[in-house]
């Protein structure tokens, strides 16, 4: 059960008031009629599934009914920021990488399966490019 | 039977309140303040269960949640049965009835027990799978008999007379565990002004202080517990929840607590004298900060026959003596790796019974407690351990020998000591379960020889769970955690609280001892149990590692270590240590498994709460529901709505069937006049200068020219070109529209409109609001509809002035109404919308006047037949998210030349949506007029093809038509529109193959003249 | 505004009118009302006028000042009453407010507001038939809410003058606190029976007094 800060209601609310609506910042091609089948297919069907920082769109459906975006760590489930439609995130995978390089400690991911950790870590690094 | 093990003085039981209870059919007595476990021990009950796999006799081992054996079935009646109750956590009440979970025919004499008497190598892990493997098809048969011998409690067969409920909480600081650390933390946080919840799983708060030999400020520790609880109870910002187990620790500091409210008082809440109160409650807590003060579990030692009744944890022995005044035996041998366990021997001796010896694995223990034991004349044997328990149904002796822990061998001669109880302690494992629910890995602490909680955001661990075992340090750690948690929540005034003075003791360091070596190898020695609940032995783990299972997660799954309701509370670390020894690695290298919720079993009742029975899910009613009920409607669930399905009449004393009623209702609409409660349709009010533009973008068809007073049918697609909803939208004013949606689609469509407005086109000036509940909608339809309605309104209903697809404001039966001339039946129809509070009045007036026209109420089934006869689709029935408007043959509703690239347009020119062999919407006419095809049935072109047949389509709607006097269906068939007149086949599971002809989906009035009359 | 069709739902005569709970009262009367201690008092404030206002805060504020002599609450989750306590405006979202007025006033009020708002971009929707108000009071009212709603109803988090849209059991409601002693739930018509039965059930351990 997430605890989500609604940028419009200006307070934290329980997850049951919200619905997740998938990847944020999807752009509908401006001129669909002159968009190739491949580009249109990308827009319709292909989504990112990153390990770590992810931007998601949510809607406060039992509340103010407004859509907004969340920056969330898909490993720790930490919600790092929420921001209204039309705004850009201040925290991104790149900015976090920079922070780490500059020596700022961030929470390590929780492994459900610990015994096989070294193996699965390698596995994840390979697939998360 | 007398309470032979009860001592005359001490303990926290009330000897003046004698409670009667029954265990396995035998009647016993205990005292108020007992748990079922302490009362059983008081009565000298040795065997409380048979083990899961080997059917070995088992007794009580522990005194708390970690008890693996004394798992009982509780309940006096068939309807009050509760499985998987730990006797150590069940408060005793008068009339309590409990049984062992396992054991057939009974625990004293179990026919399967020969299995468990064989050596360590018999029935290795995977035994069942390996032995009963061939032939695979027989496994189902073997399993039935294997299961009969096992068993893990029985589900009740009658419905529960009690209720369970939920309660939501928010707090600044959630303190889990009311031992010394938890109490200090709660006090510190509460005094700082924070909202505090303190929960503890035991019958009484106080934790280890309740059986402590320690003093605080020079008096018994329980005095401080009482004072602290009194202060906390008096504070408005503190909620105390005793008998409440924190069972799950979820995302963002969300903690679920299971409170036993009346379970300790009587068999049911009513019997306990409560009315309307729940038996158990699930608290859902959103905590700002969590202080985890869950303490430790003592680790048992692993040695041969360590599961015989009479083998107990040292701490449990102290607990039973000091808290319940029960000495669970007469002659004690204590086997330990640390000083702390010496308390058990001291308590035992002070209770007046014989301590045969303390066997200490360390070479030179010389801590204060060790000295005290020696001074009391207790024999201390060093460098040694109990390597095997002797006995049949109860311990009769302990085999003791010198051991070399480095080389893992028995070094000296084996001595046998006569005793009936062996208490052991291999150290203390922090209870890290909750912290690991969050996905955080516990961290190995070499000094502690145990895992401590990993870092969890918003959590502070304190006391035993954080590795603080000294009482003074534990109190200080708790106070610090409470203060810090309050500060994190902005209570900056948090100050140090005065803590009571403790005695400091000198302790000699503990040694690492898990499995005790035996003269024979683990496979040949008598069984050495690691996980008592799941019958996992040291030999089993050894076999698993030998067979190549190296990760502890794999060992766990192969052997069942840490499975079930036990969740590895006693066995996990020993299991890891054994695996580490076998693999020649360190414990942290072998890793730990991560525990999952729930910490202890939670009754389904508490999980469900009041969301059951009549309150399981909202039932939505229209304003006319009362009338429908009074007029005998049968109801159908449409989403959460209760809609009249059909209105059976009683004809010649016999109630009509669905089929009879629907035939009658259909004919009434086609030949006279019928009425439908259509209030459930979604209705969305749309206002704004860009409302029309917006409609043009979300609907496939054109809206630019629709004039006020007119209505249009619209199709709504997703951007993948697939139909998602349909309905009519009326132009109320140039900037004002009323959209209707399907009943099930109402909420989704409103959110869909908001989604596009808020994310793609915020520049459009338009607002959407649901008015579904504000309006009640009554559809009057049939050739006589105009005649009937004209009696109740002065509005001009003439076909020329009020055309098909017009709407007008009017007054119907004195009530302001909006009338829409739209039709879902193909007949003349008027949809009357009135403010819902007046609906019943208008409906009744229609019936007063409708009597002479035989006005017939009809339900959803007739609605479905009538629209299907006209080939009108129902989204979600005739479509399934893979159907385009083109597939439906609705090209007339697609505005390809609209200026804006509306939602779904682009996808309609993708290669896949242009395929000629897509499933297309058609009608089906069965060759046999009496056949009504099954909805969902597959359609093939070659009825004689052998299986697997090529499936070419499926039936989406199918009914009997009273007007046509034959069955008919709607279907989607590959390339169907080019196959008009062809025969297709519908094979059924019973071998019957129906034949049907592909026809137009419009079966009645193909020119659509009737709705225009 | 001529481009929007107003519709006066208030009849001129006196046709039979029913609150959304009429069916529930007949179906589920309160068991054993009378002498027992009532920790919870439940009352329907039936047949009130409900309008939903959408638009920019500044223009709407001007209009409601002019027409109702009230301020539009601009702060999220705020609820204000007029001096008589009969009219209220509640923030629902950054561009949405709920106006509740005595029954029968809603259509003339809508008209007056439309006049005052002129050509501005706004919407006013009459929801009077679609929702009703349940009032909850008594010493155990807060516990009943804690059994029903995950939103924090502690006085420190939910002071008088606050209102939120949130989940109630498995329905959604507008929960508001008009005074120290009272809570109001604005429930949708079709969910009213469910909410009513849920409240009766949650109140039963404290005793409930139902005032119709």
């Amino acid at each position: 059960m997430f605890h989500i800060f609604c940028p419009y209601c200006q307070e934290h609310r329980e997850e049951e008031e919200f619905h997740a609506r998938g990847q944020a910042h999807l752009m509908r091609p401006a001129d669909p009629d002159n968009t190739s089948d491949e580009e249109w297919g990308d827009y319709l069907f292909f989504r990112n599934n990153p390990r770590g920082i992810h931007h998601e769109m949510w809607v406060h459906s039992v509340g103010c009914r407004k859509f907004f975006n969340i920056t969330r760590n898909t490993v720790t489930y930490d919600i790092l920021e929420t921001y209204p439609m039309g705004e850009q995130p201040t925290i991104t995978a790149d900015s976090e990488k920079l922070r780490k390089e500059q020596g700022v400690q961030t929470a390590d991911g929780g492994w459900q399966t610990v015994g096989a950790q070294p193996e699965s870590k390698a596995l994840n690094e390979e697939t998360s490019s | 039977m007398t309470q032979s093990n009860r001592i005359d003085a001490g303990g926290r039981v009330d000897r003046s309140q004698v409670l009667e209870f029954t265990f396995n059919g035998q009647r016993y007595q205990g005292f108020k303040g007992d748990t079922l476990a302490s009362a059983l021990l008081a009565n000298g009950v040795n065997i409380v269960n048979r083990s899961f796999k080997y059917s070995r006799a088992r007794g009580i081992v522990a005194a708390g949640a970690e008890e693996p054996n004394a798992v009982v079935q509780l309940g006096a009646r068939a309807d009050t049965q509760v499985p998987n109750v730990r006797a150590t956590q069940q408060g005793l009440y008068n009339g309590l009835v409990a049984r062992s979970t396992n054991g057939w025919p009974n625990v004293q004499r179990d026919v399967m027990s020969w299995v468990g008497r064989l050596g360590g190598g018999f029935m290795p892990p995977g035994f069942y799978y390996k032995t009963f493997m061939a032939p695979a098809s027989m496994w189902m048969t073997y399993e039935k008999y294997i299961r009969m011998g096992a068993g893990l409690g029985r589900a009740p067969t009658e419905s529960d007379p009690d209720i369970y409920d939920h309660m939501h909480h928010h707090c600044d600081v959630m303190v889990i565990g009311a031992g010394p650390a938890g109490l200090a933390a709660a006090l510190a946080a509460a005094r700082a002004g924070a909202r505090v919840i303190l929960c503890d799983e035991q019958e009484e708060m106080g934790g280890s202080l309740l059986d402590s030999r320690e003093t605080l400020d020079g008096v018994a520790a329980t005095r401080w517990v009482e004072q602290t609880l009194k202060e906390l109870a008096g504070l408005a910002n503190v909620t105390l929840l005793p008998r409440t187990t924190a069972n799950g620790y979820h995302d963002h500091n969300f903690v679920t607590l299971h409170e036993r409210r009346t379970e300790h008082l009587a068999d049911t809440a009513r019997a306990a004298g409560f009315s309307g109160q729940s038996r158990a409650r699930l608290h859902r807590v959103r905590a700002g900060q969590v202080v985890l003060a869950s303490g430790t579990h003592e680790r048992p030692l692993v040695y041969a026959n360590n599961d015989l009744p009479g083998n107990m944890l040292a701490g449990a022995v102290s607990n039973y003596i000091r808290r319940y005044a029960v000495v669970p035996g007469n002659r004690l041998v204590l086997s330990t790796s640390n000083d702390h366990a010496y308390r058990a021997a001291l308590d035992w001796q002070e209770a007046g019974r014989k301590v045969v010896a303390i066997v200490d694995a360390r070479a030179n223990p010389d801590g204060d407690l060790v000295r005290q034991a020696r001074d009391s004349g207790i024999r201390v044997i060093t460098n040694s351990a109990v390597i095997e328990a002797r006995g049949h149904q109860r311990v009769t002796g302990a085999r003791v020998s010198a051991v070399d822990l480095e080389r893992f061998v028995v070094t000296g001669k084996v001595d046998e000591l006569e005793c009936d109880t062996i208490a052991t302690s291999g150290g203390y494992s922090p209870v890290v379960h909750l912290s690991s629910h969050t996905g955080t890995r516990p961290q190995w602490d070499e000094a502690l020889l145990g895992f401590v909680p990993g870092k969890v955001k918003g959590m502070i661990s304190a006391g035993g769970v954080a590795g603080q075992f000294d009482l003074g340090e534990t109190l200080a750690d708790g106070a610090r955690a409470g203060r810090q948690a309050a500060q994190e929540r902005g209570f900056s005034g948090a100050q140090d609280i005065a803590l009571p003075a403790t005695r400091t003791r000198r302790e000699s360091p503990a040694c690492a001892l898990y499995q005790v070596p035996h003269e024979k190898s683990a496979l040949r020695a008598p069984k050495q149990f690691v996980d008592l609940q799941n019958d996992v032995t040291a030999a089993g783990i050894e076999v698993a590692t030998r067979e190549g299972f190296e990760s502890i997660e794999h060992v766990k799954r192969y052997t069942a270590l840490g499975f079930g309701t036990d969740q590895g509370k006693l066995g996990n670390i020993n299991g890891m240590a054994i695996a580490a020894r076998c693999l020649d690695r360190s414990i942290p290298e072998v890793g730990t498994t991560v525990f999952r919720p729930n910490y202890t079993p939670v009754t389904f009742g508490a999980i469900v709460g009041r969301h059951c029975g009549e309150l399981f899910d909202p039932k939505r009613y229209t304003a006319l529901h009362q009338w429908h009920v009074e007029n005998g409607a049968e109801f159908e669930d449409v989403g959460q709505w209760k809609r009249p399905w059909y209105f059976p009449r009683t004809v010649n004393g016999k109630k009509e069937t669905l089929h009879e009623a629907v035939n009658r209702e259909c004919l009434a609409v086609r030949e006279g006049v019928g009425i439908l409660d259509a209030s459930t349709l979604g209705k969305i009010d749309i206002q704004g200068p860009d409302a029309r533009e917006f409609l043009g973008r979300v609907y496939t068809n054109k809206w630019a020219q629709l004039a006020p007073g007119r209505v249009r049918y619209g199709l709504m697609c997703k951007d993948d070109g697939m139909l998602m909803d349909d309905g009519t939208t009326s132009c109320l004013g140039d900037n004002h529209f009323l959209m209707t949606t399907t009943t099930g689609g109402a909420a989704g469509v409103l959110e869909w409109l908001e989604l596009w407005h808020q994310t793609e086109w915020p520049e459009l000036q338009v607002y959407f609001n649901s008015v579904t509940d504000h309006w009640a909608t009554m559809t009057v339809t049939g050739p006589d509809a105009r005649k009937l309605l004209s009696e109740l309104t002065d509005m001009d209903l003439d076909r020329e002035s009020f055309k098909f697809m017009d709407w007008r404001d009017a007054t119907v039966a004195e009530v302001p109404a909006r009338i829409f001339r739209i039709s879902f039946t193909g007949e003349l129809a008027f949809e009357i919308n009135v403010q819902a509070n007046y609906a019943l009045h208008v409906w009744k007036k229609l019936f007063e006047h409708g009597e002479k026209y035989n006005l017939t109420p009809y339900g959803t089934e007739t609605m479905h037949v009538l629209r299907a006869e006209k080939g009108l689709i129902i989204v979600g029935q005739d479509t399934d998210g893979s159907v385009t408007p083109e597939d439906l043959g609705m090209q007339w509703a697609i505005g390809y030349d609209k200026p804006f690239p509306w939602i779904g347009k682009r996808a309609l020119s993708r290669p896949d949506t242009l395929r000629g062999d897509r499933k297309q919407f058609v009608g089906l006419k069965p060759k046999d007029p009496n056949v009504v095809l099954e909805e969902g049935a597959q359609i093939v072109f070659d009825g004689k093809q052998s299986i697997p047949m090529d499936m070419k389509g499926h039936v989406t709607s199918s009914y009997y038509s009273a007007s046509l006097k034959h069955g008919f269906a709607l279907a989607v068939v590959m390339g169907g529109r080019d196959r008009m007149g062809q025969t297709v086949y519908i094979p059924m599971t019973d071998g019957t193959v129906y034949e049907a002809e592909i026809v137009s989906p419009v079966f009645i009035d193909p020119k659509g003249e009737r709705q225009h009359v | 505004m001529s481009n929007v069709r107003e519709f006066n739902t208030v009849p001129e005569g006196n046709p039979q009118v029913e609150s959304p709970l009429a069916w529930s009262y007949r179906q589920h009367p309160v068991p054993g009302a009378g002498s027992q201690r009532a920790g919870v008092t439940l009352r329907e404030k039936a047949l009130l006028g409900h309008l939903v206002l959408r638009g920019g805060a500044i223009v709407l504020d001007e209009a409601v000042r002019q027409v109702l002599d009230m301020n539009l609450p601009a702060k999220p989750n705020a609820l204000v009453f007029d001096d008589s306590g009969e009219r209220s405006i509640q923030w629902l979202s950054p561009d949405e407010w709920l106006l509740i007025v005595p029954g029968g006033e809603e259509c003339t009020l809508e008209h007056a507001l439309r006049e005052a708002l002129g050509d501005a971009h706004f919407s006013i929707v009459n929801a009077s038939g679609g929702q009703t108000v349940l009032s909850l009071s008594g010493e155990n009212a807060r516990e009943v809410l804690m059994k029903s709603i995950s939103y924090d109803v502690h006085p420190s988090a939910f002071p008088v003058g606050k209102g939120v849209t949130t989940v109630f059991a498995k329905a959604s409601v507008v929960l508001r606190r008009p005074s120290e002693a009272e809570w109001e739930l604005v429930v949708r018509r079709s969910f009213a029976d469910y909410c009513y039965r849920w409240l009766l059930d949650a109140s039963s351990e404290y005793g409930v007094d139902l005032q119709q």
Side-chain angles (χ1 to χ4, degrees), chain B residues 70 130 137 279 321 354 443 452 468 515 548 705 754 856 871:
Chain B
K130 287 170 181 164
S137 60
R279 174 184 167 92
I321 295 171
K354 174 71 183 169
Q443 306 291 319
V452 293
Q468 302 288 352
Q515 182 188 2
Q705 304 296 323
E754 289 285 359
T856 303

Side-chain angles (χ1 to χ4, degrees), chain A residues 3-24:
Chain A
H3 206 208
I4 301 170
F5 184 84
C6 173
Y8 298 101
C9 295
Q10 289 288 309
E11 57 181 28
H12 280 87
R13 299 289 189 94
E14 295 294 326
E15 184 180 335
E16 62 185 8
E17 294 185 7
F18 300 87
H19 280 126
R21 295 299 301 259
Q23 186 179 329

Side-chain angles (χ1 to χ4, degrees), chain C residues 10-176:
Chain C
V10 182
E12 281 173 16
N14 266 316
Q16 180 199 351
V17 59
E18 282 201 332
S19 94
L21 280 174
W23 143 257
S24 311
Y25 295 141
R26 286 192 283 266
Q27 197 66 11
H28 305 277
V30 182
S35 60
Q36 68 171 4
R37 189 189 74 93
V40 181
T41 300
L42 185 60
R43 182 163 72 90
E44 185 190 6
K45 297 180 172 176
L47 308 178
L48 299 177
H50 299 244
L51 295 178
V52 177
L53 260 61
R54 305 284 303 267
I58 293 166
V59 286
L60 288 178
D61 181 51
E62 230 167 85
V64 295
R65 275 170 197 270
Q66 188 187 323
V67 175
L68 282 167
D69 197 22
M70 290 173 77
N71 292 332
L72 193 78
K75 244 181 58 196
N77 312 311
L79 165 73
V80 297
F81 281 83
D82 72 355
D83 292 340
S84 72
E86 289 187 321
R87 291 167 197 83
S88 64
I89 310 178
Q90 181 182 344
W91 184 99
L92 292 181
S93 96
D95 60 4
E96 187 168 2
W97 286 263
L98 172 65
L99 234 98
I100 299 183
V101 297
E105 282 185 15
E106 65 272 18
C107 294
T108 41
L109 176 59
E110 178 185 342
H111 186 73
L113 286 170
R114 285 191 181 281
E115 294 269 297
L117 284 158
D119 285 335
H121 169 46
F122 67 95
S123 108
I124 302 177
V125 172
N126 185 349
S128 310
Q131 52 198 39
T132 191
V133 179
L134 289 169
S135 155
L136 200 65
S137 56
E139 59 174 304
N140 299 111
R142 191 154 71 86
E143 275 144 299
V144 169
L145 289 173
M146 286 168 74
K147 286 162 84 169
S148 318
I149 285 176
S150 66
Y151 193 85
D152 190 357
V153 290
H154 191 270
S156 63
F158 210 128
V160 172
K162 186 167 186 174
V164 298
T165 307
T166 190
V167 177
F168 174 95
K170 285 186 186 162
S172 65
V173 298
V174 172
L175 174 69
R176 29 199 257 160

Side-chain angles (χ1 to χ4, degrees), chain B residues 473-485:
Chain B
E473 283 168 22
T474 296
L475 286 164
D477 200 32
R480 176 195 56 80
R483 194 175 61 240
Q484 188 190 331

Side-chain angles (χ1 to χ4, degrees), chain C residues 169-208:
Chain C
K170 285 186 186 162
S172 65
V173 298
V174 172
L175 174 69
R176 29 199 257 160
R177 189 137 185 247
S179 70
E180 286 292 337
E182 189 193 8
W183 298 85
E184 283 181 347
L185 295 125
V186 184
V187 301
R188 281 180 73 174
R189 165 178 265 284
S190 55
F191 288 96
D193 179 74
Y194 170 77
C195 295
Y196 167 81
R197 286 187 292 116
W198 180 279
L199 284 170
L200 285 189
D201 180 80
S203 306
S204 68
E205 70 176 297
Y206 312 111
V208 58

Side-chain angles (χ1 to χ4, degrees), chain B residues 41 50 55 119 137 259 270 275 398 492 500 602 627 688 791 954 973:
Chain B
L41 288 172
R50 285 281 171 177
S55 286
S137 60
E259 181 191 11
R270 190 181 299 273
S275 141
S492 48
V602 178
W627 191 93
E791 291 188 20
H954 63 271
V973 176

Side-chain angles (χ1 to χ4, degrees), chain B residues 337-383:
Chain B
S337 67
N338 60 76
D339 276 17
H340 199 66
Y342 276 67
R343 299 183 320 140
L346 295 167
D347 291 335
W348 190 279
Q349 191 179 47
E350 283 165 24
R353 304 217 174 159
K354 174 71 183 169
V355 177
V356 179
I358 296 172
V359 189
D360 196 319
R362 298 170 294 177
N364 294 303
D366 63 346
D368 287 348
L369 282 168
V370 181
R371 284 177 187 206
Q372 202 181 334
R374 286 197 168 117
D375 292 348
S376 311
I378 297 174
R379 179 184 171 200
V380 178
I381 310 170
T382 56
N383 257 330

